[in-house]
Amino acid sequence: MKVYGLIGYPLAHSFSKRFFAEKFKNEGIDDATYDNFPIEDIAGFTDLIQSKKPCGLNVTVPHKKAVMPFLDWISHDAKEVGAVNCIRATVESPVMAAFSGEVGVEGHNFRLEGYNTDIHGFEKSLRPLLHHHHQKALVLGNGGAACAVKYVLGELGIEYQIVTRKKEEKSILFSDVTPEMVDEHKLIINTTPLGTSPKIDECPPIPYDAITDEHLLYDLVYNPEQTLFLTKGLEKGAAIKNGYEMLVLQAEYSWEIWTSKAKHP
């Protein structure tokens, strides 16, 4: 039985486990299983690899960055983003990786490859919604989920301003966001967990009255289907998008990576 799974903490509500259980059933895949592996401390990653010997893993908060030192090879995109959310185990020895200039991690006789499928999922779901006036974006939050968002915006040539709760380098505070700023940035992306069920009465504190029918509000949250953030945008005539399609696209790309014999870019 081939083992796949999700690591992170906590994992009470896992999209990935439901998605792959349904996928395996619908496609008649009976030699694979997908499980949740809640790891509070990333130090437990090595024990998991040795005991479960997974063929592939998805990675969620808080380990997208912390897992990187445990890997033998990381894709260019994931390095640029600074986060990994997909790991593939291959039969190639880490010793072979060392010959190609990549240092293998001691303690296993296979190679662990790191990828970021959030990039693929976010870009594919965002691109069809963009219009000529979506030249500037507000990125709400700057955690692990924002890494892929910022990378994709950079690739698309969209200027962005990071907005955070606490002051960080190159960011502004939510309290600094003015109506004029909202009017200027026609694309607003929420990467924070605000509004996630069961706390559906929460939303990022921005001047929603400045939103127009030229705005696009994208929320990485998918539960509930329409968050308060999206509802407030819809009330002003804005286009809205939740994070469900992004999740599906990144999950499908993870499966493609796990079952491919070739390294992806």
Side-chain angles (χ1 to χ4, degrees):
M1 186 68 69
K2 297 175 182 177
V3 176
Y4 300 91
L6 174 69
I7 65 169
Y9 193 87
L11 298 177
H13 305 286
S14 167
F15 161 86
S16 297
K17 184 171 182 176
R18 295 193 305 272
F19 175 84
F20 282 106
E22 186 174 336
K23 179 180 181 66
F24 294 164
K25 180 180 179 181
N26 292 340
E27 298 187 13
I29 300 171
D30 55 10
D31 64 342
T33 181
Y34 192 102
D35 296 305
N36 285 345
F37 300 115
I39 300 177
E40 187 170 4
D41 190 326
I42 194 60
F45 178 76
T46 302
D47 289 340
L48 172 67
I49 292 297
Q50 293 175 345
S51 62
K52 299 296 183 179
K53 295 180 173 56
C55 296
L57 292 170
N58 289 125
V59 186
T60 189
V61 292
H63 301 321
K64 290 186 179 184
K65 295 182 179 181
V67 78
M68 296 176 74
F70 292 83
L71 307 179
D72 304 307
W73 178 89
I74 299 174
S75 71
H76 172 75
D77 287 352
K79 285 180 181 178
E80 289 292 308
V81 170
V84 163
N85 77 318
C86 175
I87 298 171
R88 179 175 73 165
T90 72
V91 294
E92 181 181 348
S93 168
V95 174
M96 295 301 295
F99 281 106
S100 63
E102 299 158 356
V103 179
V105 178
E106 295 181 0
H108 56 264
N109 58 356
F110 48 85
R111 188 170 81 156
L112 297 175
E113 300 174 352
Y115 301 87
N116 191 303
T117 61
D118 283 338
I119 298 170
H120 173 85
F122 180 65
E123 181 177 359
K124 293 292 184 182
S125 62
L126 175 69
R127 191 185 283 271
L129 305 176
L130 296 175
H131 296 285
H132 69 278
H133 51 268
H134 295 134
Q135 299 296 318
K136 294 184 178 182
L138 290 178
V139 178
L140 311 182
N142 197 29
C147 294
V149 169
K150 293 183 292 184
Y151 180 83
V152 170
L153 293 178
E155 290 293 294
L156 295 175
I158 298 175
E159 293 182 36
Y160 62 85
Q161 174 62 63
I162 304 165
V163 185
T164 53
R165 186 168 52 87
K166 297 180 180 180
K167 189 63 177 177
E168 299 178 11
E169 186 179 358
K170 297 182 180 180
S171 76
I172 62 173
L173 298 174
F174 277 100
S175 57
D176 295 330
V177 179
T178 64
E180 293 75 20
M181 195 175 297
V182 169
D183 182 65
E184 183 182 1
H185 295 77
K186 303 297 186 185
L187 174 59
I188 306 177
I189 304 163
N190 177 40
T191 73
T192 78
L194 289 171
T196 304
S197 181
K199 298 182 179 180
I200 61 174
D201 58 344
E202 296 180 349
C203 65
I206 61 172
Y208 290 95
D209 286 343
I211 291 173
T212 68
D213 59 5
E214 288 192 341
H215 278 82
L216 167 61
L217 270 61
Y218 191 115
D219 200 334
L220 268 60
V221 175
Y222 67 94
N223 181 25
E225 183 177 343
Q226 185 172 307
T227 59
L228 183 57
F229 168 74
L230 295 181
T231 298
K232 285 179 174 289
L234 193 62
E235 289 172 349
K236 294 296 182 179
I240 62 172
K241 179 79 172 182
N242 69 23
Y244 185 76
E245 184 184 24
M246 174 183 170
L247 276 175
V248 172
L249 288 168
Q250 68 86 13
E252 289 287 4
Y253 193 46
S254 291
W255 182 249
E256 181 184 331
I257 289 172
W258 293 336
T259 56
S260 170
K261 293 182 179 179
K263 286 194 298 187
H264 287 251

